[in-house]
Amino acid sequence: MICGMVGLPPTDEAVRSSMAAAQTITGMVRLHRHGLTRSQVVQARTVLERLTAPARAAYRAGDPATVPGRMRDLGLSEREAMGAVGAFVLTGTETIQSFVPRLVGIAHDTGWTARLLADDAQLRRRAVEEGLRVTVPTPAMLRSVRADTSVGGVPVRAGDRVVIATVNCCRAGGGFDPDRPVEPAVRHLWFGAGPHFCLGMPLAMAQVDAVLDALAAAVAADGRVPVVGRRRAARGVLVPAYSSLEIGLRGADGAANPVPASHRTREAS
């Protein structure tokens, strides 16, 4: 979807390539460091230039059917449009491909798998939102201070950059429990707040539903329940994720059978 929007060819190869490129760039970021090394900047610019090349062509062609072409119509410069495209690709691929396998793993670990895949849209949405709160696909956010003030008693000045530990804010409500009432103060905070709220939230939620619908359809015929087998955490990534997560099906007799390869979830580390 994102590839199609920003001018990249919407093919499997292009999707895998853009995901790998996004992970190359975000994997350089470390929250304990203030910036990238000179060599990392050069590498990131090279990767981003290659990643945005089709979008740059779409911008110059001015096709309003693409996001770059539409941004040109709205008066954005090519530099501004390419910055936006880079943000779409980086954030739009990294967070959702991290979240879905983690949601399946959490549902398995907490006994929520059957309810997550049940034909109950309200219950599913509550479980998905609780999964987002616990995993926090955007673990930290940056904001700029507009005017001198104080935050929690700490003085900040106009122009300062503030790092918000979103993961701490969201996880303060405790562990995964969709039955617990939603805390209004953290509702959807993992997608941002105010003018910084994520434009891609509807697409992200649709992608989550698409995966869960496919998984539910795969097991609905005979009532078996998906169970998580082997899993391996990804290394060298900014957003925590699995490099692989294998799913099997457990029948009423407790016996587990592997899901066909087409139903396995696997991510690139």
Side-chain angles (χ1 to χ4, degrees), residues 143-149 156-162 195-196:
R143 297 291 183 266
S144 295
V145 179
R146 296 182 60 184
D148 294 357
T149 185
V156 292
R157 296 175 298 177
D160 284 351
R161 295 283 278 170
V162 177
H196 292 280

Side-chain angles (χ1 to χ4, degrees), residues 38-250:
R38 187 170 300 177
S39 62
Q40 286 178 322
V41 170
V42 171
Q43 182 184 2
R45 284 178 174 170
T46 300
V47 173
L48 198 58
E49 181 68 25
R50 184 172 68 250
L51 190 61
T52 58
R56 193 178 302 277
Y59 176 91
R60 293 174 180 176
D63 183 358
T66 64
V67 172
R70 182 63 180 148
M71 286 191 288
R72 177 178 175 175
D73 283 351
L74 293 173
L76 275 72
S77 68
E78 183 174 303
R79 181 183 177 86
E80 291 169 333
M82 292 309 100
V85 166
F88 291 155
V89 175
L90 293 179
T91 61
T93 57
E94 186 81 349
T95 55
I96 200 63
Q97 64 95 17
S98 161
F99 170 66
V100 174
R102 293 177 72 191
L103 173 64
V104 173
I106 288 174
H108 168 83
D109 296 340
T110 58
W112 261 85
T113 301
R115 283 180 284 180
L116 177 65
L117 300 178
D119 188 18
D120 186 329
Q122 185 174 358
L123 184 63
R124 177 192 286 189
R125 181 52 55 92
R126 180 70 195 102
V128 168
E129 291 188 348
E130 180 69 350
L132 285 163
R133 182 190 68 81
V134 171
T135 60
V136 200
T138 308
M141 298 180 183
L142 295 176
R143 297 291 183 266
S144 295
V145 179
R146 296 182 60 184
D148 294 357
T149 185
S150 64
V151 179
V154 178
V156 292
R157 296 175 298 177
D160 284 351
R161 295 283 278 170
V162 177
V163 179
I164 302 172
T166 323
V167 63
N168 291 348
C169 299
C170 294
R171 288 187 175 179
F176 179 83
D177 183 5
D179 291 326
R180 184 172 48 229
V182 179
E183 172 56 54
V186 298
R187 185 171 181 81
H188 294 155
L189 184 59
W190 43 89
F191 282 122
H196 292 280
F197 194 79
C198 178
L199 292 173
M201 176 188 170
L203 175 58
M205 300 303 286
Q207 289 175 318
V208 173
D209 279 336
V211 174
L212 295 181
D213 285 345
L215 190 56
V219 301
D222 52 15
R224 290 185 294 174
V225 178
V227 293
V228 173
R230 293 178 298 180
R231 50 182 131 174
R232 185 170 63 252
R235 304 298 180 189
V237 294
L238 176 63
V239 181
Y242 288 118
S243 63
S244 65
L245 180 78
E246 296 185 2
I247 301 173
L249 299 178
R250 183 176 61 205

